[in-house]
Amino acid sequence: ESRLAESGGGLVQPGESLRLSCVGSGFTFSDWYISWIRQAPGKGPEWISTIPRTSTISETYADSVKGRFTVSRDNAKNTVYLQMNNLKSEDTALYYCGRGYCTGENCGVRGQGTQVTVSS
């Protein structure tokens, strides 16, 4: 069974950083693009970033996080990371990863998510 599992969320103050991890299992991780999506309370899913299979293709980011968030991957560990710097209160959301270039409900495989709360 194909699975994704996120970790690394928590409560931080504005301006601080967090690094989220997304670990895949049950499929050939290196064959897939991986996307990060977040969902704030009362709002719909917001696509954040997608990382391609290889570094020959650039990652893509939503304007809301561009310049603050960086996505990377370690295929040897079946893991994609989301480094989040200069966090803002509006970044508060449940963050989850999805298999493929997906934006939320169209992710064929997705994890349960990890909560990020930015508050002073």
Side-chain angles (χ1 to χ4, degrees):
E1 181 182 359
S2 300
R3 292 183 177 180
L4 292 170
E6 305 86 349
S7 62
L11 172 63
V12 296
Q13 295 187 350
E16 294 186 339
S17 299
L18 277 176
R19 189 178 78 160
L20 307 184
S21 299
C22 166
V23 179
S25 60
F27 63 99
T28 305
F29 189 80
S30 59
D31 284 350
W32 289 87
Y33 286 48
I34 300 293
S35 298
W36 283 99
I37 300 100
R38 69 186 180 186
Q39 187 161 12
K43 296 186 177 180
E46 177 190 12
W47 170 81
I48 298 172
S49 180
T50 297
I51 185 166
R53 291 172 291 185
T54 70
S55 59
T56 57
I57 303 173
S58 299
E59 309 84 45
T60 52
Y61 298 93
D63 287 343
S64 58
V65 305
K66 197 173 295 182
R68 300 188 298 121
F69 290 12
T70 303
V71 64
S72 61
R73 68 189 299 160
D74 184 344
N75 286 332
K77 296 182 178 180
N78 285 0
T79 301
V80 167
Y81 303 99
L82 184 68
Q83 177 67 43
M84 306 186 297
N85 297 329
N86 190 22
L87 283 161
K88 305 176 181 180
S89 58
E90 51 262 44
D91 295 318
T92 295
L94 180 71
Y95 286 70
Y96 59 95
C97 54
R99 191 176 72 176
Y101 203 136
C102 59
T103 58
E105 294 182 357
N106 62 346
C107 295
V109 177
R110 56 159 287 185
Q112 293 297 308
T114 185
Q115 179 67 37
V116 172
T117 302
V118 185
S119 176
S120 55

